[in-house]
Amino acid sequence: LSLYSSPARETKYVENPQTQLEEGVSHLRHVMEPYTAWCQTELIDSTKVKFDSSLCSDFSSEGYEFLQHPPAGFYPRLGVIGFAGIVGLFLARGSKIKKLVYPAGLMGIGASMYYPQQAVAIAKVAGTQLYDWSLQGYIAVESLWKDN
């Protein structure tokens, strides 16, 4: 409770009158409403048909279901991984390469802490790809060296 009493205020809401511009825009919106509604329904229907017929619809519906019913602790983990990326951006002052490597590296470390099995699988695939690329580069340099 307050030690000091304050007098009761009587306030009354007064709406500002509409200007000519506001009235004109309002009238134009009311006139154009049937056309915009028709365009929106046509656009949504045609886009939905194209989207449903695409190959990505299975993946997007699975992703939508996953985000609607996530496993326990998913959003806190996602927050920690995102925060690691922000810290990486903060630490990567200066070089543009640092701005690419630090956030991705810290997010990768954070994700590998929470999802170690997936991290191992990705590391195996990435290692194989890196080995293949380095072998192709070695072959290309070797062929250039022999040609000269």
Side-chain angles (χ1 to χ4, degrees):
L1 295 172
S2 175
L3 295 175
Y4 304 103
S5 62
S6 59
R9 297 182 194 164
E10 292 184 27
T11 59
K12 185 177 180 184
Y13 176 74
V14 178
E15 190 171 324
N16 293 332
Q18 284 189 337
T19 63
Q20 278 187 329
L21 178 63
E22 290 173 335
E23 288 178 6
V25 169
S26 175
H27 178 69
L28 181 64
R29 288 182 71 190
H30 287 295
V31 168
M32 296 301 292
E33 188 175 13
Y35 303 110
T36 57
W38 176 78
C39 289
Q40 286 177 347
T41 56
E42 288 293 318
L43 182 64
I44 288 171
D45 290 343
S46 65
T47 306
K48 189 173 181 178
V49 167
K50 289 177 184 175
F51 183 75
D52 287 341
S53 65
S54 71
L55 296 174
C56 296
S57 64
D58 294 336
F59 298 118
S60 63
S61 63
E62 288 175 9
Y64 179 75
E65 285 296 321
F66 181 79
L67 291 176
Q68 288 298 319
H69 308 290
F74 174 73
Y75 288 120
R77 290 176 179 180
L78 187 65
V80 168
I81 294 168
F83 183 72
I86 292 170
V87 169
L89 280 175
F90 179 73
L91 294 175
R93 292 184 179 161
S95 172
K96 290 183 180 182
I97 293 174
K98 284 183 184 178
K99 289 182 181 179
L100 291 174
V101 172
Y102 282 19
L106 288 176
M107 288 175 70
I109 290 169
S112 65
M113 286 174 30
Y114 287 118
Y115 304 104
Q117 293 171 342
Q118 290 86 351
V120 168
I122 290 172
K124 285 181 182 178
V125 171
T128 309
Q129 287 291 326
L130 188 62
Y131 177 74
D132 289 342
W133 290 341
S134 64
L135 190 61
Q136 289 174 359
Y138 176 76
I139 291 170
V141 168
E142 186 181 32
S143 67
L144 286 173
W145 187 268
K146 285 184 180 179
D147 289 344
N148 289 336

